[in-house]
Amino acid sequence: MTRIRLGMVGGGNDAFIGGVHRIASRIDDRFELVAGALSSTPEKSAASAQALGIPRSYGSLEEMARAEAARDDGIEAVSIVTPNHVHAAAAKAFLAHGIHVICDKPLTSTMDDAIALEAAVKDAEALFILTHNYTGYPMIRQAREMIAAGDLGEVRIVQAEYPQDWLTSPMENAGLKQAEWRTDPARSGAGGSIGDIGTHAHNLACFVSGLRVESLAADLQSFGAGRTLDDNAHMMLRFEGGARGMLWSSQVAPGNENALKLRIYGEKGGLEWAQEDPNYLWFTPHGEPKRLLTRNGAGATEASQAVSRIPGGHPEGYLEGFATIYNEAADAIRATQNGTDRAKAMGILPGISAGIDGMRFITACVTSSAGNAAWTTL
Amino acid sequence: MTRIRLGMVGGGNDAFIGGVHRIASRIDDRFELVAGALSSTPEKSAASAQALGIPRSYGSLEEMARAEAARDDGIEAVSIVTPNHVHAAAAKAFLAHGIHVICDKPLTSTMDDAIALEAAVKDAEALFILTHNYTGYPMIRQAREMIAAGDLGEVRIVQAEYPQDWLTSPMENAGLKQAEWRTDPARSGAGGSIGDIGTHAHNLACFVSGLRVESLAADLQSFGAGRTLDDNAHMMLRFEGGARGMLWSSQVAPGNENALKLRIYGEKGGLEWAQEDPNYLWFTPHGEPKRLLTRNGAGATEASQAVSRIPGGHPEGYLEGFATIYNEAADAIRATQNGTDRAKAMGILPGISAGIDGMRFITACVTSSAGNAAWTTL
Amino acid sequence: MTRIRLGMVGGGNDAFIGGVHRIASRIDDRFELVAGALSSTPEKSAASAQALGIPRSYGSLEEMARAEAARDDGIEAVSIVTPNHVHAAAAKAFLAHGIHVICDKPLTSTMDDAIALEAAVKDAEALFILTHNYTGYPMIRQAREMIAAGDLGEVRIVQAEYPQDWLTSPMENAGLKQAEWRTDPARSGAGGSIGDIGTHAHNLACFVSGLRVESLAADLQSFGAGRTLDDNAHMMLRFEGGARGMLWSSQVAPGNENALKLRIYGEKGGLEWAQEDPNYLWFTPHGEPKRLLTRNGAGATEASQAVSRIPGGHPEGYLEGFATIYNEAADAIRATQNGTDRAKAMGILPGISAGIDGMRFITACVTSSAGNAAWTTL
Amino acid sequence: MTRIRLGMVGGGNDAFIGGVHRIASRIDDRFELVAGALSSTPEKSAASAQALGIPRSYGSLEEMARAEAARDDGIEAVSIVTPNHVHAAAAKAFLAHGIHVICDKPLTSTMDDAIALEAAVKDAEALFILTHNYTGYPMIRQAREMIAAGDLGEVRIVQAEYPQDWLTSPMENAGLKQAEWRTDPARSGAGGSIGDIGTHAHNLACFVSGLRVESLAADLQSFGAGRTLDDNAHMMLRFEGGARGMLWSSQVAPGNENALKLRIYGEKGGLEWAQEDPNYLWFTPHGEPKRLLTRNGAGATEASQAVSRIPGGHPEGYLEGFATIYNEAADAIRATQNGTDRAKAMGILPGISAGIDGMRFITACVTSSAGNAAWTTL
């Protein structure tokens, strides 16, 4: 077993998501973090790298891409964990040097950036992986597998929601850095809650149901005084094939920490899953008692067992679900290095097309809402 | 204490809701059921009346209204528990004789009927009470009181849902009487799930939030093969004053028995309530831990205590909530008989205006959906 | 259908359990409350009777027994809802006149009283029913039926608990009448929490498992300052046939309102039920996913459906479970009146032997604890 | 930041707990696993080491201790993850060379071994850390802190339970290695369920309450046919200072995966925590509504925040709790290396005395049960 040499762009000091990526990359021991351009200045970057025990620090991502590509023992992959508006440039810089990219979501802050990046990914020889981490939860894998196996029959209804409460008060005016950039169109893009968390709900609904959203009718709101981007979004969904759904994302719903929830109903049964209690999956075959399926418990399917680390009743959490994306990214990178076709190597890993779907989702939400919730094609 | 003499129209043999009304009328011992026109034929009616120990049975509601009005000890009030399309005629017949009406919801099967009934109620000297029974739950009363008291600050978001699963399969073709008339436009009116249960969700959302729905954008579906009326409905709501919401009603969501749920969020806090666990109310003051308020437990307010019968931890249920409507109807009837103004006697009891609101809701849903989910004023 | 004429002893003014019995007797419309000796003085009794609309009031229970027995339309049955120490004398007085007795639990306040009452019941022609109301819950009936049917295989483990918190603070010194008599040995007997609620847990554990407790080792505590009777009790149980168990009753466990809970495990499966959420029953066939069985939902058995009034998802509660005891008492009384053998008429209704078992349980707890938790035979 | 060089004894191939230790050691990036004696033969060990990417493999633990102690870059600490009967010898071997020991629980398989190891630890200069991993859960830390701060007032009642179901059927006869050694007295010691999981419940009850168990009365059972060790244990507890409790451990309770649960009640409030939903802590100040405290949510205390990695609503699980023990072990090791007194360096980390307490607990259980549940001092 040889670990993949990994670099990181962004993720210095107090950034939440950078730390998550680092832990996720370690859990299954497939990566070794050896280089970083962690902050906006060379000094801050170096300080962060030293504190984290990362051997090589760079002053800019471009310098890092060049220098690492030139080394025999240079990084094989890079994690991009910057604010959204930097994703595209960073990803292109590393892909151009054949370095595999693991990028946080949403894909970019503008549709133009997204399309340019899509072209770059198509031309690249390296892989592009988007960390739609919630797809890594074992019970999400099981739900997807059960639906694909026909356990629900034809899917009729998809109810997705992702309420949070952290922007109920105007935290962006209280010096909270997370709140500042996430409510700033220049750094986040056109989507507020829809970009930050709505994209997760949209992605997960599609990943699990196996369906694509054809069109949506959205009503976006900014309840926070002086807020430009949406902090609450209501929408109705029409899926290819006739299923219908609703999606609610909110950052102003007190009592909801990170309450991503997915419920899918078909002609033969229903499934319900909640991110905050991720080791459970409720399954009701129509006309039979509700069952509480558990991770690695009785009734666990192959797809969920494959991404479980420990026995049922020993809860795995957010970091383990995230780590599964990294673990599968490692598999994919090694497979590519061994000559496997890129598409095949990716398997069900979220990549550029999931990213483009997410950008289309954001764009459609904004367009629809501007048109008084007119149905808008994705 | 003298019990109110009560009659009943509909509710013979295997009718679900008739039995519910009878139990509800007994729980607090305010009514005595003394007359009935329980079924479609005099023979069936008489048989049901005898089986139920009801002294006087009539062959038709009109006969009953006339005859009871003529007796010194005739009924003072009547419960109407027929299918929807009979409500209007039955209510008018009794109101015309000064007999108070307690009517099941929705108000009528057509808007025309509703308007005619509204006029009849306005002209009558007797009361018209619509059994929006879910408003009788103690924790619903508490939620309403807390919001009115400002515990949530200004309300921003109202999420209402009412999924069931009993029509997932085509039960109307399997001889289930309940399913037959509830899926039949001639007897139910223009609304399927929206009329049967969506009206409850709409009524409850308004009752608790203290807000009116200004307009809605609805997408109705009929997933059951050959079904004319909606069995699933998605909609977005705009409330007077700027709050926004979503409402989902469904009869085809496997795993949901009677899962009416209401969540309301304001700038200062959030409330969550689920009908299947009605003795609980989740309250989160923003920035503080979530609290599980219980019926008659610590934190119970005056409004919930007033309609609780037994101590916390001893669960009250659906029948008790329903009984509260009857108990308050008894208060209102006695108050009216003692000269209290009708509006004052009604207090917060749902009456004709709640019924009209419900009909407008159904109509708006159908209109909006026919217009591809165009925003439609109620 | 003719209603059974019912009297009541105790239950005046603010008594909690009297009101419960009255509602329970009304819900299924099998009784008509026509006479009462509701309070300790004729004046108070008469005032309560008038307030409740009860036609005949008596100054004492003995007078009531005599007078009602002498009337053609006298009461057929009587509900005894006094403090424990009055149960025996009251029951004997009515049984002596052939009036059926429905008595609150525990049976009596002393073992001597219990034995004397047992003899009186044996000699009487009327029925004696003890309102172990928790046996009336539909899902308790289902649990019992499933175990009898072998769904758990041989039962190994029975975990019963009944924590409350209302005596955490010394409410008996704060003027709370309920707390006064329940902490007073003269009125409650030798058991505090074990008599008031431990007997319920013991009764339910046996009722559901179909097993008898052979011996127990108990450690009783009185945490409340100056309290004589136990307010917390821990014990281990040995059942006939080899099953083992634990039982915990407490009135000083903050956060527990009325948290009676029963868990039973056998070689083939497990069942879990909680009184505060009584419409649910968790069932795990060993090696299969956990199932959430619901009252009148999918998987409901005959025994639970027989005592359900309304569809699944429409919660029934404490009062309905209590009403089932009354409903079955009505059946038993009518059957006896029609010549059915008393034992057969009683069916699974709790009667004198359940009461004696409860008294033995209390006695064994006190004896064992006095002997430093020595194993004590019931 | 320099990582601590770590070795591992045991944990080859399919061992559950070895993998857990490895992940736990990586999560916070404080250790580097560089050497191992992972299996019973040099060949197997080498194969496992290679598969895991561990540079140095040894044929025996003794060889490893000697060789690593002799290297400049030898391991600083070792994780011992063998079956229980090997713990003592392994720990002594490494302590003798000044190598810090992180040992799985229970301490040893015999009391003699435990006492000998205690002496060795006392004489050693290196630290001995016992992975009572459940003490690493953030909400457990918070519960402990709240009790120490007096939020419950004086503790009265401690209810601990740890039911599982994996030995309901005789898995030890079905070739399951885990089941084989855990039901074998020669490898596990005198305790079955009490050693494997009862010790966790005992440890946690004491850790959180801040109290020591003075004596216990235990009733152990072996329900599995042919099983020597207990697979179910009931016991009553008496704590120093007057608090009382119960403890239930079981491996034969169908429907319980790993259902460790702790409930503590004092004169001012109650706390409830369940391992399978570890990010929640229920807190009821007596007379106030129940609160659902969440990890890193509103109401999180310093002690829980200190061991949380990610925001509330992003569930951390078993591996993160385990990792906290490793993280704090790293702190302790570095502190010791920097001259801090061993006791001070250990802080609240479980060490030899927790291990001895656990052994005394097992011994007392066996002794008490053999004496028909006589009260036995720990």
Side-chain angles (χ1 to χ4, degrees), chain B residues 20-345:
Chain B
V20 166
H21 278 255
R22 284 191 293 270
I23 297 177
S25 73
R26 280 197 300 270
I27 282 181
D28 295 317
D29 207 19
R30 306 291 301 278
F31 293 89
E32 193 180 358
L33 184 55
V34 295
L38 304 175
S39 283
S40 45
T41 71
E43 296 72 28
K44 282 190 192 170
S45 293
S48 287
Q50 187 173 17
L52 294 166
I54 302 174
R56 301 190 292 275
S57 178
Y58 295 94
S60 74
L61 68 94
E62 294 81 5
E63 183 197 340
M64 175 168 153
R66 264 195 320 271
E68 288 291 321
R71 293 175 68 109
D72 280 351
D73 65 347
I75 58 172
E76 300 164 89
V78 68
S79 295
I80 299 174
V81 295
T82 62
N84 309 343
H85 68 298
V86 181
H87 290 179
K92 288 190 287 182
F94 287 90
L95 289 172
H97 284 95
I99 294 170
H100 303 285
V101 170
I102 299 169
C103 182
D104 206 65
K105 47 60 45 200
L107 189 62
T108 57
S109 56
T110 69
M111 199 66 205
D112 284 351
D113 277 1
I115 290 166
L117 179 53
E118 188 181 27
V121 170
K122 192 182 269 182
D123 293 345
E125 292 186 8
L127 300 176
F128 179 85
I129 292 144
L130 196 70
T131 51
H132 265 303
N133 59 291
Y134 295 118
T135 64
Y137 272 120
M139 301 317 283
I140 283 295
R141 295 292 174 95
Q142 176 152 348
R144 184 176 185 275
E145 187 177 37
M146 290 173 69
I147 289 175
D151 288 356
L152 301 198
E154 190 162 283
V155 169
R156 291 168 163 178
I157 306 163
V158 178
Q159 302 291 110
E161 61 184 44
Y162 199 154
Q164 298 181 328
D165 61 9
W166 68 297
L167 292 177
T168 297
S169 303
M171 303 304 293
E172 65 269 36
N173 304 335
L176 184 66
K177 223 174 150 177
Q178 283 287 332
E180 281 171 29
W181 78 258
R182 288 196 194 273
T183 58
D184 175 8
R187 285 177 283 177
S188 279
S193 79
I194 53 168
D196 191 20
I197 54 178
T199 46
H200 275 304
H202 166 253
N203 172 265
L204 207 63
C206 297
F207 181 81
V208 173
S209 70
L211 301 173
R212 292 178 65 89
V213 173
E214 200 170 73
S215 60
L216 56 78
D219 197 22
L220 309 187
Q221 299 96 39
S222 301
F223 283 112
R227 209 166 271 167
T228 318
L229 297 179
D230 66 280
D231 52 21
N232 190 78
H234 289 151
M235 71 195 73
M236 301 189 291
L237 309 174
R238 290 179 176 166
F239 291 84
E240 286 178 3
R244 302 294 174 94
M246 296 179 103
L247 192 152
W248 171 44
S249 71
S250 185
Q251 295 162 324
V252 293
N256 291 283
E257 292 186 331
N258 197 42
L260 172 59
K261 194 173 171 186
L262 186 62
R263 297 178 286 180
I264 303 186
Y265 305 101
E267 58 186 4
K268 288 174 52 186
L271 283 173
E272 304 179 351
W273 179 84
Q275 189 273 148
E276 295 186 346
D277 302 294
N279 295 284
Y280 303 114
L281 176 67
W282 288 98
F283 171 48
T284 309
H286 183 56
E288 295 184 27
K290 201 171 259 209
R291 285 145 203 211
L292 181 55
L293 306 176
T294 57
R295 191 189 48 75
N296 251 353
T301 60
E302 203 181 316
S304 66
Q305 290 177 320
V307 295
S308 284
R309 289 160 190 82
I310 46 176
H314 299 71
E316 294 195 23
Y318 177 90
L319 293 168
E320 286 77 21
F322 216 113
T324 287
I325 303 298
Y326 265 87
N327 195 31
E328 295 178 339
D331 286 342
I333 289 167
R334 286 290 181 242
T336 308
Q337 291 171 335
N338 292 330
T340 304
D341 172 74
R342 283 191 298 158
K344 194 177 163 198

Side-chain angles (χ1 to χ4, degrees), chain D residues 273-334:
Chain D
W273 180 83
Q275 190 272 150
E276 295 186 347
D277 302 295
N279 295 284
Y280 303 115
L281 176 67
W282 288 97
F283 171 48
T284 310
H286 182 56
E288 295 184 27
K290 202 170 259 208
R291 285 147 203 209
L292 181 55
L293 307 176
T294 57
R295 191 189 50 73
N296 250 352
T301 59
E302 203 181 315
S304 67
Q305 289 177 319
V307 295
S308 284
R309 290 160 189 83
I310 45 178
H314 299 71
E316 295 195 21
Y318 177 91
L319 293 168
E320 285 78 20
F322 216 114
T324 287
I325 304 298
Y326 266 88
N327 195 30
E328 295 178 339
D331 286 342
I333 289 167
R334 286 288 181 245

Side-chain angles (χ1 to χ4, degrees), chain D residues 7 16 32 43 53 55 64 119 136 161 208 240-241 276 307 328 378:
Chain D
F16 152 56
E32 194 179 359
E43 295 72 26
M64 174 168 155
E161 61 183 47
V208 173
E240 287 179 1
E276 295 186 347
V307 295
E328 295 178 339
L378 256 70

Side-chain angles (χ1 to χ4, degrees), chain B residues 1 3 16 20 23 26-29 50-53 134 137 257-258 275-278 280 294 297 309-315 317-320, chain C residues 1 3 16 20 23 26-29 50-53 134 137 257-258 275-278 280 294 297 309-315 317-320:
Chain B
M1 195 204 81
R3 293 170 190 86
F16 153 56
V20 166
I23 297 177
R26 280 197 300 270
I27 282 181
D28 295 317
D29 207 19
Q50 187 173 17
L52 294 166
Y134 295 118
Y137 272 120
E257 292 186 331
N258 197 42
Q275 189 273 148
E276 295 186 346
D277 302 294
Y280 303 114
T294 57
R309 289 160 190 82
I310 46 176
H314 299 71
Y318 177 90
L319 293 168
E320 286 77 21
Chain C
M1 196 203 82
R3 292 171 191 83
F16 153 55
V20 166
I23 297 177
R26 279 197 301 269
I27 282 181
D28 295 316
D29 207 18
Q50 188 172 17
L52 295 166
Y134 295 118
Y137 272 120
E257 292 186 331
N258 197 43
Q275 189 274 150
E276 295 186 347
D277 301 295
Y280 303 114
T294 57
R309 290 159 190 82
I310 45 177
H314 299 72
Y318 177 90
L319 292 169
E320 285 77 22

Side-chain angles (χ1 to χ4, degrees), chain D residues 174-191:
Chain D
L176 183 67
K177 223 176 154 177
Q178 283 285 333
E180 279 170 29
W181 79 258
R182 288 197 195 272
T183 58
D184 175 6
R187 283 177 282 177
S188 279

Side-chain angles (χ1 to χ4, degrees), chain C residues 30 41 252 258 267 289 356:
Chain C
R30 305 290 302 277
T41 72
V252 294
N258 197 43
E267 57 186 5
I356 294 290

Side-chain angles (χ1 to χ4, degrees), chain D residues 36 54 68 90 94 106 119 133 161 169 179 200 204 224 247 252 254 272 274 303 306:
Chain D
I54 302 173
E68 289 291 322
F94 287 91
N133 59 292
E161 61 183 47
S169 303
H200 274 304
L204 206 63
L247 192 151
V252 294
E272 303 179 353

